Amino acid sequence: MPVRRAVAVLIFALLWHGGAAAAALQRVPLAYLGETRAGDAGAAESGAAVDEGLAGAHLGVADNNSTGRFVGLEFELLPTQAAGLGQLISRPSAGAPVTFAVADLPSKILATIARQFPALTFINVRARSDRLRNEDCAANVLHTISSRAMLADALAQYLVWKRWTRWFLVVGSSAADAAYADAVRRAAAKFGASISAEKAWTFGAPNVRADTGHATLQTEIPAFTRVGDYDVLIVADEEDEFGEELVGRTFLPRPVAGTHGLIATTWSRVNEQWGALQLQRRFEKEFKRAMRPRDYAAWLAVRAIGEAAVRTGSADAGTVRQYMLGPEFLLSGFKGRGQSFRPWDGQMRQRVLIAGPRRLVSASPQQGFLHRVSELDTLGTDKDESACRR
Amino acid sequence: MQTLTLALAGALLVLNGAAAAETIYVSNEQDNTVSVIDAHRLAAVATIPVGGRPRGIAFSAHSGLLYVAVGDDNRIDVVDTKTRKVIGSIPSGEDPELFALHPDGKRLFVSNENDNLVSSVDLEKNSVLGTVQVGVEPEGIAVSPDGRLVANTSETTSMLHLIDAASLELLDNVLVDTRPREAKFTPDGKAIWVSSELRGTVTVLAREDRRILRRIRFAVPGLRREQIQAVGIVITRDGKTAYVALGPANRVAEVDANSFDVRRYYLVGQRVWHMALSSDEKRLYTANGNTSDVSVIDLDRQEVVKSIPVGRSPWGVAVAP
């Protein structure tokens, strides 16, 4: 991993020098705040990667610099642990102060650090917490990863469009699962679906590698899912412990959706529409794996700063941030609609993909869900409902 | 034989008018085919299998051949319009999407989306003459009427790149609106029109000093701003009128190319991509990606007179005598 990162840094360094010959470039350093992540046993199956997020940010910097070299701006990524942020900003990189941080952090750590450094602008690429965008919101935090409310609303719109409106909700044991289930319940009420049954998954993570793994699940899951009739099972299992095991094993022949089966997501490898194939290929060529949602959110965060800096021709933090939050800002995110930030809570408005394991099934908002300003604002917390006071 | 065909075509011109005598070719992105439409009958009369993911399409009056960029096969297929068969292919670099024929008929210029390159291809020697590095995901491409300048847009970089057609030197880079798609020179070569898909605008720049002459905005009653996405551009030979395809707005805008005022909108099929004028410029043919048909607009009567079913996801249109 350190070798790969070093190689990537070297490649980007070479890219800058290719275009840097003509004029002195104005530097824009971007902090990337992550945590040390250990690979876990399930990582191979779920496709998780230790550089998820960071890889997307690197690609964003390369894309920014391809435009930057024409207009005299040079972007640089400075990856560090959250605890190292103070040290990083006290040592300005070649004279240019660090004023933007891509935050690949859990919501509580991000909320704390954002209060600690009010002069910095943070872009959240990981935490899907709705609290972080409402009660715990901060004026210096923007979000490029979709909130749970956006994901649940996107799925709800598609299921309502399909007229699959009776849902059986299965909820895992973590706090994240409970938050996801809350978002699903709110989405049901918002779009006219009903939760006809609800159960908590209390078995823990099944040990599917045991020789008896599938045999046990083949009897346990039909028994667990025998709850009367419903149209679709919605599973809330953000930690990827059991959700996949429900697919193809329910008592009634019903589809599984939510965190597994038919998923609502900010990004997926299955999106090849709207020119996305080019982004997927660029990413895979560089990092030898598929681009994941956090990679995409980090790419968006870096590109958003880049777009605002290029459009304003400025590396000044205030100018860039003001433009980013203003009405003229528009980012191309390979989802067929221009993406911008909601001024009331700093959330990026964007389409949410409805994806199967290998194919894009749909993208929300769905036709017929209308909004007076932007149909993208039918997903997640709208202005009037927001509890964010920035 | 060629003379005979031309003479015959000339006779038909007199009898039926130019539009009626010609043939329209439509690239079908999802079917890997080109639909052949008889302009007299206004019906698809044949389907030509080509390479994977055909998009950019153009007819060369010099060679009498039809060129189709087939992105998934990394080449440009050459179609004989008489036998309606692919008779060969020319190298294009990786994933060609749009290309432009040089007025000398001997070269073409093509965008290579994956490699951030524009390639110049020699049609006689069947080889790539050279490449030039541009912004991320080059797309729209045009050659000035005098043959000296190549204009290219890059979608992710949101720039218009100007390239010397002979030396392939990158002369200038101009920031334009988000996700630029098509670039077109006016017939007098003095201005360049660039469409922005996500901003839903067309920017008109002066060739001489790259000054922005106008940013044309479009508004269709009942549609959200985000549904209006400018894609294909066609300008009439007299330089007085431009047509702009508005993608998911399902409209084509008719623009006065002198005052830049939008005169009217035509309701066409869904997700309209690219267009072509009949040779007498009395009709406009539009490729509608989501409804898999071609709309025919009668420009004298100012109405859509027909929609012709073609293959799946039609993208580009070319007209040939």
Side-chain angles (χ1 to χ4, degrees):
Chain A
M1 175 59 209
V3 176
R4 153 110 56 94
R5 197 176 297 176
V7 169
V9 168
L10 186 67
I11 288 166
F12 294 119
L14 288 171
L15 276 178
W16 297 328
H17 285 283
L25 296 172
Q26 215 179 339
R27 297 183 66 252
V28 188
L30 309 172
Y32 186 96
L33 306 178
E35 291 182 309
T36 313
R37 282 194 291 273
D40 65 272
E45 281 100 306
S46 66
V50 285
D51 63 345
E52 182 173 350
L54 184 62
H58 275 303
L59 187 66
V61 166
D63 284 356
N64 279 1
N65 284 335
S66 79
T67 312
R69 72 190 159 103
F70 295 121
V71 296
L73 290 168
E74 176 185 318
F75 297 83
E76 183 188 12
L77 199 65
L78 305 169
T80 181
Q81 304 289 305
L85 182 59
Q87 203 184 7
L88 189 74
I89 56 176
S90 67
R91 278 189 289 119
S93 137
V98 176
T99 51
F100 288 98
V102 178
D104 176 1
L105 299 168
S107 61
K108 281 186 180 140
I109 298 177
L110 174 55
T112 308
I113 204 165
R115 274 195 302 271
Q116 218 177 323
F117 296 94
L120 258 68
T121 299
F122 295 83
I123 304 189
N124 166 31
V125 302
R126 176 169 171 183
R128 290 176 289 189
S129 160
D130 289 301
R131 263 197 89 85
L132 189 65
R133 292 153 174 87
N134 285 281
E135 297 85 349
D136 294 348
C137 81
N140 60 335
V141 181
L142 307 180
H143 315 267
T144 53
I145 191 89
S146 304
S147 64
R148 288 194 182 93
M150 288 171 75
L151 300 178
D153 287 353
L155 185 63
Q157 283 191 8
Y158 178 71
L159 297 178
V160 167
W161 185 87
K162 289 292 294 172
R163 297 178 192 276
W164 296 345
T165 52
R166 294 174 305 161
W167 301 349
F168 169 26
L169 181 60
V170 176
V171 188
S173 55
S174 75
D177 298 342
Y180 188 91
D182 278 344
V184 170
R185 286 186 209 101
R186 278 198 303 271
K190 189 169 166 184
F191 297 110
S194 65
I195 312 282
S196 60
E198 181 173 333
K199 275 181 113 168
W201 179 268
T202 51
F203 300 95
N207 191 348
V208 292
R209 289 186 183 81
D211 277 358
T212 53
H214 85 273
T216 314
L217 290 164
Q218 200 164 331
T219 52
E220 276 177 3
I221 289 174
F224 176 81
T225 55
R226 197 168 176 171
V227 293
D229 203 6
Y230 59 93
D231 295 321
V232 56
L233 186 156
I234 298 190
V235 56
D237 172 28
E238 290 205 354
E239 256 104 273
D240 194 27
E241 290 192 336
F242 65 93
E244 200 63 41
E245 311 306 338
L246 301 176
V247 179
R249 290 192 176 110
T250 50
F251 180 74
L252 291 174
R254 296 288 179 268
V256 172
T259 56
H260 294 78
L262 191 67
I263 64 167
T265 182
T266 306
W267 191 250
S268 164
R269 177 60 186 86
V270 304
N271 180 25
E272 297 189 342
Q273 280 178 223
W274 308 297
L277 186 60
Q278 270 70 46
L279 180 66
Q280 306 275 20
R281 282 180 177 163
R282 275 209 304 284
F283 186 91
E284 284 160 21
K285 198 171 170 180
E286 195 63 49
F287 301 102
K288 316 290 180 229
R289 64 175 178 83
M291 189 178 205
R292 305 205 11 109
R294 201 182 305 162
D295 293 312
Y296 175 76
W299 177 85
L300 277 180
V302 172
R303 286 286 298 123
I305 296 163
E307 173 74 11
V310 165
R311 293 283 166 195
T312 57
S314 170
D316 172 66
T319 309
V320 168
R321 184 168 145 187
Q322 195 181 11
Y323 183 86
M324 230 167 25
L325 286 165
E328 275 298 299
F329 179 83
L330 193 69
L331 189 64
S332 168
F334 299 94
K335 294 199 281 194
R337 288 283 185 274
Q339 299 177 193
S340 54
F341 288 101
R342 292 173 181 156
W344 57 90
D345 63 0
Q347 171 68 53
M348 180 169 275
R349 43 168 82 87
Q350 58 189 311
R351 274 183 165 160
V352 170
L353 306 175
I354 307 297
R358 291 187 59 201
R359 284 289 178 270
L360 184 69
V361 174
S362 187
S364 290
Q366 298 294 320
Q367 265 190 352
F369 293 90
L370 304 177
H371 191 277
R372 65 193 183 287
V373 182
S374 163
E375 272 141 39
L376 294 174
D377 287 344
T378 62
L379 305 179
T381 312
D382 204 353
K383 191 177 178 183
D384 300 337
E385 309 151 358
S386 176
C388 177
R389 300 286 168 263
R390 290 155 71 91
Chain B
M1 179 62 205
Q2 184 123 20
T3 324
L4 185 66
T5 313
L6 282 174
L8 201 62
L12 284 168
L13 280 178
V14 176
L15 289 174
N16 297 323
E22 60 202 13
T23 309
I24 302 124
Y25 299 90
V26 182
S27 58
N28 300 307
E29 189 181 354
Q30 285 201 57
D31 271 359
N32 305 334
T33 58
V34 168
S35 292
V36 182
I37 294 171
D38 179 306
H40 180 62
R41 291 168 53 196
L42 285 183
V45 292
T47 303
I48 307 170
V50 294
R53 201 173 182 201
R55 285 185 285 176
I57 184 167
F59 177 77
S60 167
H62 286 270
S63 62
L65 297 167
L66 185 73
Y67 299 93
V68 187
V70 289
D72 281 358
D73 285 319
N74 305 318
R75 60 170 202 255
I76 294 173
D77 277 349
V78 183
V79 177
D80 181 329
T81 52
K82 292 179 200 74
T83 62
R84 292 173 179 165
K85 284 195 166 64
V86 174
I87 55 166
S89 67
I90 46 179
S92 63
E94 219 185 305
D95 197 12
E97 183 170 346
L98 274 169
F99 62 89
L101 292 160
H102 191 277
D104 69 9
K106 292 174 183 158
R107 282 172 287 167
L108 67 75
F109 294 86
V110 58
S111 297
N112 303 126
E113 266 199 311
N114 282 349
D115 293 338
N116 308 336
L117 294 174
V118 165
S119 301
S120 163
V121 181
D122 186 315
L123 293 173
E124 286 166 355
K125 294 187 187 123
N126 217 19
S127 64
V128 174
L129 290 167
T131 60
V132 54
Q133 184 92 32
V134 290
V136 180
E137 288 162 34
E139 165 101 7
I141 193 150
V143 185
S144 60
D146 62 12
R148 285 161 51 194
L149 197 63
V150 175
N152 163 252
T153 62
S154 51
E155 289 176 322
T156 291
T157 307
S158 291
M159 277 188 163
L160 173 71
H161 306 283
L162 295 172
I163 302 158
D164 185 301
S167 70
L168 291 184
E169 186 194 343
L170 191 58
L171 302 173
D172 200 2
N173 309 284
V174 187
L175 202 58
V176 291
D177 278 349
T178 312
R179 205 170 160 80
R181 295 296 295 239
E182 176 126 75
K184 279 280 166 76
F185 282 91
T186 51
D188 63 9
K190 289 181 178 164
I192 307 162
W193 289 50
V194 179
S195 60
S196 152
E197 186 176 19
L198 289 191
R199 187 70 70 177
T201 55
V202 167
T203 304
V204 184
L205 303 102
R207 172 184 177 173
E208 192 61 33
D209 55 6
R210 310 359 169 182
R211 188 165 42 93
I212 291 177
L213 301 173
R214 183 66 71 93
R215 197 175 179 210
I216 306 168
R217 294 169 187 274
F218 305 93
V220 180
L223 290 187
R224 299 269 175 280
R225 198 184 79 168
E226 63 205 30
Q227 283 169 283
I228 297 172
Q229 303 187 341
V231 197
I233 301 171
V234 165
I235 305 173
T236 56
R237 279 189 297 268
D238 62 10
K240 288 182 177 163
T241 305
Y243 299 93
V244 180
L246 298 177
N250 312 332
R251 302 293 197 290
V252 169
E254 183 183 311
V255 181
D256 182 316
N258 295 313
S259 69
F260 305 116
D261 293 332
V262 179
R263 287 193 199 124
R264 58 185 62 83
Y265 295 97
Y266 295 101
L267 179 65
V268 294
Q270 290 175 18
R271 187 125 199 194
V272 51
W273 285 113
H274 291 278
M275 307 165 289
L277 283 160
S278 62
S279 55
D280 63 3
E281 301 195 328
K282 288 178 186 297
R283 281 181 187 161
L284 184 71
Y285 304 102
T286 76
N288 312 318
N290 281 2
T291 35
S292 294
D293 55 13
V294 165
S295 297
V296 182
I297 304 173
D298 183 319
L299 298 170
D300 285 339
R301 286 163 60 188
Q302 295 173 358
E303 63 180 325
V304 176
V305 291
K306 181 120 192 199
S307 95
I308 306 166
V310 290
R312 281 190 303 160
S313 301
W315 198 89
V317 190
V319 169

